[in-house]
Amino acid sequence: MKRALELAKLGEGFVNPNPLVGAVIVKDGKIIGEGYHARYGEPHAERNAIASLTEDAKGADMYVTLEPCCHYGKQPPCTEAILDAGISRVFIGSQDPNILVSGKGKRMLEMAGVHVETGILKKECDDINHIFFHYITTHTPYVIMKYAMTMDGKIACKTGESKWITGEVARDHVQHTRNRCMAIMIGVGTVIADDPRLTVRLDGGSNPLRVICDSSLRTPLDSYIVNTANEFGTLIAYTEAPDERIRALEEKKVRLLKTPEKDGEVDLGFLMTELGGQGIDSVLLEGGGKLDYSALKAGIVNRVHAYVAPKVFGGDAGYTPVRGLGVDTPDEAFMFMPPTVTAYGEDILLDYEIKRNR
């Protein structure tokens, strides 16, 4: 199953909104086939493993990180391929919460005489698919809020300078997260201040849809994001804007989405529902402090990646990761689960999952 997990992760950035899945076939104590879901719309891990067989799989075992599908979608059911191959035992990591599968794949195999065991390295298998599990059950994107800060909680100096707070190793990890997510979202203030690219700087990486929250369409027409919208998918969510501004952006191939207004800004809940309906399963939020607070207040944030550098900026005027109005009392704080702590070079990543019992 550990090998199946290694294989599953090779699909990162290419299978969304499908899950990451790896499969290994073992016979007489040796691996005779292995595969993973490599790209959305292409064969699933189980079929790729069967296609790679070095000998007959009759009587063999299969280890698969997610319950095999049992319905027709872009691909035929994997349970059918497992039975046709003569595999006698199947070991499963995670149960698939998709209502089209959810226990049915397991039962179908068992009814055909296959011995099935579930929960093998369940936590590890669940962890690689938290995005899929959220999206398939809510039909809205899994949102990861990311920021880098100093030990004293600053994301920029009093001058606004912020390059670079963290080192290269931490920044490289962010690129892998961008590659994993289908969209990256910022506010118009970040566009105006930084003129970012919001692309993936990894060889063979998959660029996310760039989403800008800009209630009155102030995004500069000469910004990098606008001028590369014909090359990299770009969507601006707005509430009201002059017709000529709308036409100018559309001529640059920018996709526009009008949302209801909420507290004078883009309705983030509406935006997430719309993105989910377009098949966007995940959003990396790299906005400034104002958008971060709005996202927390709107209840769209599922996870926070807080990178902490061994630096102190000091001062009263430095920028902080979450701004906005803030809460009135500690009891009203946005609460998170205990973090996973990982070192990336000289920096650390605090990986928090939000509590939903507020």
Side-chain angles (χ1 to χ4, degrees):
M1 191 63 82
K2 288 182 179 178
R3 175 57 181 161
L5 280 162
E6 291 176 356
L7 292 166
K9 293 174 185 177
L10 297 176
E12 286 187 346
F14 301 103
V15 302
N16 311 60
N18 280 355
L20 296 168
V21 186
V24 174
I25 302 172
V26 177
K27 187 175 183 179
D28 298 328
K30 67 177 182 179
I31 292 175
I32 61 170
E34 59 181 33
Y36 65 97
H37 185 29
R39 192 173 293 273
Y40 177 73
E42 293 185 1
H44 293 175
E46 298 92 327
R47 288 184 174 271
N48 282 332
I50 290 168
S52 77
L53 284 168
T54 57
E55 60 180 88
D56 187 7
K58 187 173 181 180
D61 299 337
M62 174 179 281
Y63 295 81
V64 60
T65 57
L66 185 69
E67 180 181 5
C69 66
C70 54
H71 66 286
Y72 282 86
K74 289 187 175 295
Q75 295 292 328
C78 290
T79 49
E80 185 179 278
I82 292 169
L83 295 175
D84 288 345
I87 290 168
S88 62
R89 297 195 301 175
V90 175
F91 299 90
I92 298 170
S94 300
Q95 181 174 316
D96 192 336
N98 186 344
I99 59 172
L100 297 175
V101 182
S102 194
K104 299 183 183 73
K106 175 179 180 290
R107 287 195 298 274
M108 188 171 291
L109 291 172
E110 288 175 331
M111 289 174 63
V114 175
H115 174 80
V116 181
E117 291 187 30
T118 60
I120 313 302
L121 294 185
K122 181 180 181 339
K123 182 182 183 302
E124 292 87 340
C125 291
D126 287 351
D127 284 348
I128 65 169
N129 275 318
H130 53 264
I131 288 175
F132 170 73
F133 292 160
H134 173 85
Y135 179 71
I136 202 67
T137 53
T138 68
H139 309 295
T140 59
Y142 188 92
V143 178
I144 302 171
M145 177 191 293
K146 167 262 166 185
Y147 53 80
M149 66 181 184
T150 60
M151 292 163 56
D152 57 335
K154 302 295 194 301
I155 62 170
C157 300
K158 62 182 180 181
T159 60
E161 287 292 323
S162 61
K163 290 185 171 60
W164 293 102
I165 290 177
T166 53
E168 290 185 10
V169 179
R171 297 202 300 273
D172 180 70
H173 182 257
V174 173
Q175 294 301 312
H176 285 276
T177 307
R178 284 187 180 185
N179 184 59
R180 178 77 172 89
C181 293
M182 291 189 74
I184 182 169
M185 186 167 78
I186 62 171
V188 63
T190 302
V191 179
I192 293 171
D194 299 337
D195 194 24
R197 295 174 178 264
L198 304 185
T199 53
V200 172
R201 295 185 288 277
L202 296 174
D203 290 340
S206 178
N207 287 305
L209 172 70
R210 303 179 299 186
V211 179
I212 316 301
C213 293
D214 180 5
S215 56
S216 57
L217 291 186
R218 295 188 295 126
T219 300
L221 295 177
D222 63 351
S223 63
Y224 180 88
I225 282 174
V226 170
N227 283 315
T228 56
N230 62 332
E231 184 179 358
F232 307 114
T234 304
L235 181 147
I236 300 181
Y238 73 104
T239 57
E240 291 291 341
D243 290 343
E244 60 269 20
R245 191 68 173 179
I246 292 172
R247 285 194 297 270
L249 288 165
E250 288 179 337
E251 286 174 2
K252 294 275 194 175
K253 307 303 180 186
V254 174
R255 292 164 50 192
L256 299 177
L257 173 64
K258 187 173 183 178
T259 80
E261 182 181 297
K262 190 166 185 178
D263 299 326
E265 304 292 344
V266 166
D267 186 330
L268 295 177
F270 178 90
L271 175 57
M272 292 303 108
T273 299
E274 289 294 308
L275 291 176
Q278 295 176 22
I280 302 297
D281 70 351
S282 48
V283 172
L284 178 61
L285 174 58
E286 292 196 17
K290 184 179 178 182
L291 182 58
D292 284 353
Y293 176 72
S294 296
L296 285 167
K297 186 179 177 184
I300 67 168
V301 177
N302 301 99
R303 200 175 205 97
V304 170
H305 283 181
Y307 295 85
V308 183
K311 302 174 182 177
V312 171
F313 286 169
D316 295 328
Y319 294 75
T320 56
V322 182
R323 301 172 77 184
L325 292 175
V327 300
D328 293 327
T329 68
D331 289 343
E332 297 176 314
F334 302 98
M335 299 298 294
F336 296 83
M337 303 296 290
T340 298
V341 183
T342 308
Y344 289 97
E346 62 184 10
D347 310 303
I348 61 170
L349 167 63
L350 302 175
D351 182 354
Y352 295 93
E353 191 171 2
I354 199 163
K355 283 185 177 179
R356 289 297 184 194
N357 57 351
R358 293 184 68 240

